[in-house]
Amino acid sequence: MKLCITAKGESPDAQVEERFGRAPFFIFHDTEQDTYTAEANTFADAAGGVGPRSAQVLIDHGATVLVTGQLGGNARRVLEGAGIEVYQAAAGSTVREAMAAYRENKLNRIL
Amino acid sequence: MKLVVASGKGGTGKSTFSANFALSISRCRDVVLVDCDVEEPNLHLFFSGDMRESDVTVQVPVFDMERCDLCGKCGEFCRYGAIAVLPEKIMFFHDLCHACGGCRIVCPNEAISETERVIGKVWDAPVDEHLRLISGVLNEGEPNGIPVIMAAKEAAEGNDLIIYDSSPGTACPVIETIEGSDYAVLVTESTPFGLHDLKLAAEVVQKLGVPAGVVINRSDGKDDETEAFCREAGLEIHMKIPFDREIARLQSRGDLFSVAMPEWQERFVELYEDICTRTGGAP
Ligand code: SF4
Ligand code: SF4
């Protein structure tokens, strides 16, 4: 299974980014292989449509779960349409911590 | 001749100026006033008259799922995020679509065709024998007002004197409105903010190659800085409308002050003649 976490930096020790569409990095975590791959968000500074376009990146990577801070309405519509589950990470936590919390079922599901 | 009334920001009294200006000139010649502030048109509030309404439509994509193989090219292309290509279907957000037509061109399977969608209206109202008001009205929630501005301007074509009332600011809709005008009247206020916004507006008209002059509204008489800037930028100050209790009282009732104060009507006509001399147009 593939998860996506929005992050302020490229490493699993970077902090989780609150904003979904404007996140500098998407970190994809493959739970079977236990690997982390970071991808820079090319839409972070785009003028419009960042929510749906970022959601498309997740779909293209085959992610089924998203861990982030907050979601805009348009991103929500696409993620919902794609059946991606969305969980809210605790403010200030790192990507690794957020993943651990997800595994322990401690995160709040927001979609 | 085409004149445009613009301002760097809202709240400078630009619409009131446009309405007074157009109405005054219409006492001696035919005028078409076009409200291009399509997100918040308000000139119709000053005038009455039976209006004719017509729809403004744009072409938006429709997807033929028999032909679509979900390759994702359209979604990748759309910079507004209006198309999401999911593993089993396409999601289209009409409220994000700017009707650029690009997705149809990039689709390798000819799965996209176009359909009309109403995004706004044009109101066309004869105010009296010599004044006609055309207003562009963008429907709420629509992302792109440009086609409505174009339709409103188009409806006024063919008339000798057209005055465009632009939306405030310096964004795309303002540029669309100013484009093709022979002269721009920049309405400002004598405050530091007013001057800052006037500079932005002056920069825009200069870039578009439209000659311009300035009207200072609600002037408190302390306009030194604005005057210095205009001198430097080669902008003529055509008129100062003072802070005046009578004007304020008339405006607060929603009246046009030039109607009750005929001396102002004359001054607006003089302003128009002044512009004609500067642009070489016939009054
Ligand atoms: S017409 Fe343009 S803006 Fe609309 S969906 Fe297609 S590519 Fe996007
Ligand atoms: S580009 Fe054409 S074929 Fe590809 S996903 Fe879009 S509509 Fe379908």
Side-chain angles (χ1 to χ4, degrees):
Chain A
M1 177 171 116
K2 233 179 184 182
L3 294 95
C4 174
I5 311 106
T6 54
K8 293 190 197 296
E10 297 177 69
S11 102
D13 297 311
Q15 279 201 354
V16 173
E17 166 65 45
E18 294 270 300
R19 303 161 306 164
F20 170 61
R22 300 277 177 200
F25 291 94
F26 297 122
I27 295 188
F28 292 95
H29 175 48
D30 189 320
T31 50
E32 276 109 66
Q33 321 268 343
D34 197 25
T35 54
Y36 289 90
T37 38
E39 183 161 317
N41 178 7
T42 48
F43 307 125
D45 299 316
V50 290
R53 297 171 88 189
S54 301
Q56 183 76 57
V57 174
L58 263 67
I59 296 168
D60 295 346
H61 276 80
T64 50
V65 170
L66 166 67
V67 178
T68 187
Q70 62 217 22
L71 275 187
N74 290 320
R76 179 176 282 271
R77 282 150 80 189
V78 179
L79 294 167
E80 196 165 30
I84 295 177
E85 295 178 8
V86 185
Y87 295 84
Q88 195 164 34
S93 57
T94 67
V95 169
R96 232 186 265 282
E97 286 161 2
M99 277 304 90
Y102 169 76
R103 270 192 302 272
E104 290 159 26
N105 249 327
K106 282 188 186 153
L107 294 183
N108 202 7
R109 183 164 173 187
I110 53 175
L111 184 77
Chain B
M1 184 161 64
K2 291 169 178 147
L3 306 178
V4 60
V5 181
S7 67
K9 64 148 187 157
T12 59
K14 177 183 53 63
S15 301
T16 325
F17 169 81
S18 298
N20 278 299
F21 185 47
L23 185 66
S24 300
I25 307 170
S26 75
R27 299 295 182 230
C28 49
R29 53 155 310 145
D30 290 350
V31 187
V32 181
L33 176 61
V34 187
D35 195 340
C36 295
D37 188 0
V38 299
E39 279 176 45
E40 279 178 76
N42 60 359
L43 291 179
H44 59 279
L45 301 174
F46 295 113
F47 303 107
S48 53
D50 286 336
M51 57 190 176
R52 232 180 20 194
E53 185 176 293
S54 48
D55 285 340
V56 179
T57 57
V58 293
Q59 300 286 327
V60 294
V62 272
F63 302 86
D64 178 351
M65 295 321 285
E66 297 284 302
R67 290 177 177 224
C68 171
D69 63 5
L70 300 164
C71 73
K73 292 228 162 57
C74 54
E76 212 174 289
F77 174 84
C78 182
R79 50 183 296 209
Y80 303 105
I83 306 172
V85 182
L86 275 43
E88 276 136 36
K89 63 176 179 196
I90 282 189
M91 286 178 82
F92 173 61
F93 303 105
H94 59 73
D95 51 334
L96 297 180
C97 172
H98 279 54
C100 72
C103 50
R104 186 174 59 87
I105 297 169
V106 300
C107 174
N109 297 320
E110 290 183 23
I112 302 180
S113 57
E114 286 178 334
T115 182
E116 284 202 339
R117 201 176 112 69
V118 177
I119 62 157
K121 302 179 267 295
V122 169
W123 292 337
D124 194 337
V127 174
D128 59 37
E129 211 182 318
H130 300 291
L131 178 60
R132 187 170 145 209
L133 173 66
I134 296 174
S135 311
V137 189
L138 182 67
N139 287 352
E140 211 166 308
E142 287 297 334
N144 177 20
I146 303 285
V148 179
I149 296 173
M150 285 166 68
K153 285 177 84 172
E154 178 63 35
E157 271 308 305
N159 290 281
D160 287 341
L161 177 57
I162 304 173
I163 300 174
Y164 304 128
D165 184 56
S166 152
S167 55
T170 52
C172 298
V174 179
I175 298 189
E176 181 63 40
T177 306
I178 296 174
E179 206 123 61
S181 304
D182 301 301
Y183 197 84
V185 178
L186 308 177
V187 181
T188 185
E189 289 181 313
S190 46
T191 62
F193 293 121
L195 180 57
H196 171 258
D197 297 316
L198 173 63
K199 286 179 181 167
L200 296 178
E203 208 173 292
V204 171
V205 291
Q206 200 207 353
K207 281 211 180 105
L208 294 171
V210 177
V214 171
V215 166
I216 304 180
N217 192 27
R218 289 195 283 264
S219 165
D220 55 6
K222 300 185 204 98
D223 303 320
D224 303 357
E225 273 189 65
T226 308
E227 282 168 8
F229 165 73
C230 289
R231 243 192 327 272
E232 218 170 277
L235 295 167
E236 167 131 357
I237 299 180
H238 288 294
M239 179 183 267
K240 290 186 186 182
I241 304 174
F243 252 128
D244 179 287
R245 286 187 58 184
E246 182 59 10
I247 292 180
R249 191 182 65 83
L250 290 163
Q251 310 223 87
S252 68
R253 295 200 327 212
D255 289 348
L256 291 175
F257 66 87
S258 64
V259 177
M261 302 167 90
E263 67 276 19
W264 276 100
Q265 194 172 307
E266 263 165 54
R267 295 189 58 185
F268 284 117
V269 172
E270 278 164 27
L271 162 59
Y272 168 63
E273 285 166 354
D274 199 14
I275 293 172
C276 288
T277 324
R278 299 192 100 215
T279 57

